[in-house]
C-alpha cells in the first residue's frame, strides 16, 4: 500500500506465539478489541502507529516481548490496559480510559484519556497526563504536567 496504512481483518486473532510488528512509518488499524498475552508480542519501531477501535489489553505481555520505540503512537477507541507485569514502552497513548497496572510500569510519552487514567504503584510516567480524572497509587510519579 502506498500510504503505509494497513487495516487488520476482523476478527483480529493472534495464535499463542504470534507477535504484531509494525515498521517505522507504518500504521496498523484494527477494527476490533485486541488482547495480547504472555507468549505473544508487540513491536513498534520508531514512528509507527497502532490504532485499535475497541479496547487494547497488553497487560499480560512478557516484558521482553513488548518493544515499543520512541515516537510511536497508540490510539485506542475503548480502554487501554497494561502493567500486570513490569512493562515499559515509549509512545504517546490516547484512549477512552486507561489502567496502568498493578506492577511497576514505565511510559515514556504523553497519556491522553477522554475519561479516566488509573496509575498503579511504582509507575513512572515520563510525559504529560491529561484526563477528566487521574488517580495514582503511591509510590509512583508523573514527570510532566498532570491536567485533570
Amino acid at each position: 500500500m502506498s500510504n503505509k496504512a494497513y487495516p487488520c481483518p476482523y476478527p483480529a486473532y493472534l495464535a499463542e506465539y504470534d507477535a504484531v510488528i509494525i515498521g517505522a512509518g507504518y500504521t496498523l488499524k484494527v477494527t476490533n478489541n485486541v488482547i495480547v498475552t504472555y507468549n505473544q508480542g508487540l513491536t513498534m519501531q520508531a514512528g509507527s502507529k497502532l490504532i485499535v477501535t475497541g479496547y487494547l489489553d497488553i497487560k499480560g505481555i512478557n516484558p521482553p516481548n513488548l518493544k515499543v520505540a520512541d515516537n510511536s503512537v497508540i490510539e485506542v477507541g475503548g480502554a487501554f490496559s497494561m502493567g500486570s507485569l513490569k512493562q515499559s514502552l515509549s509512545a504517546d497513548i490516547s484512549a477512552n480510559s486507561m489502567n496502568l497496572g498493578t506492577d511497576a510500569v514505565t511510559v515514556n510519552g504523553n497519556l491522553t484519556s477522554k475519561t479516566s487514567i488509573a496509575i498503579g504503584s511504582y509507575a513512572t510516567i515520563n510525559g504529560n497526563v491529561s484526563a477528566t480524572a487521574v488517580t495514582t497509587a503511591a509510590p509512583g510519579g508523573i514527570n510532566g504536567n498532570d491536567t485533570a
Side-chain angles (χ1 to χ4, degrees):
M1 295 182 150
S2 60
N3 64 1
K4 294 187 173 186
Y6 293 88
C8 184
Y10 178 84
Y13 175 77
L14 295 173
E16 184 178 1
Y17 293 98
D18 283 351
V20 175
I21 301 170
I22 306 171
Y26 285 84
T27 298
L28 175 64
K29 181 175 183 179
V30 182
T31 55
N32 195 7
N33 300 320
V34 177
I35 300 172
V36 187
T37 60
Y38 189 82
N39 291 319
Q40 298 167 336
L42 174 62
T43 298
M44 296 176 66
Q45 295 179 348
S48 63
K49 185 174 188 177
L50 173 61
I51 302 170
V52 177
T53 61
Y55 63 78
L56 175 60
D57 179 347
I58 62 171
K59 67 180 177 261
I61 296 177
N62 184 12
N65 296 341
L66 180 60
K67 302 170 192 152
V68 180
D70 291 338
N71 299 317
S72 295
V73 175
I74 299 172
E75 294 179 3
V76 182
F80 172 78
S81 301
M82 71 175 286
S84 288
L85 302 165
K86 187 177 180 178
Q87 298 171 325
S88 65
L89 56 78
S90 297
D92 289 334
I93 305 168
S94 63
N96 188 54
S97 64
M98 291 186 205
N99 186 345
L100 305 180
T102 56
D103 204 335
V105 168
T106 301
V107 176
N108 299 306
N110 300 315
L111 304 178
T112 305
S113 172
K114 295 177 184 174
T115 59
S116 63
I117 299 176
I119 301 171
S121 298
Y122 300 99
T124 302
I125 311 302
N126 297 310
N128 298 324
V129 176
S130 177
T132 56
V134 176
T135 57
T136 58
I142 299 171
N143 300 316
N145 295 321
D146 177 2
T147 307

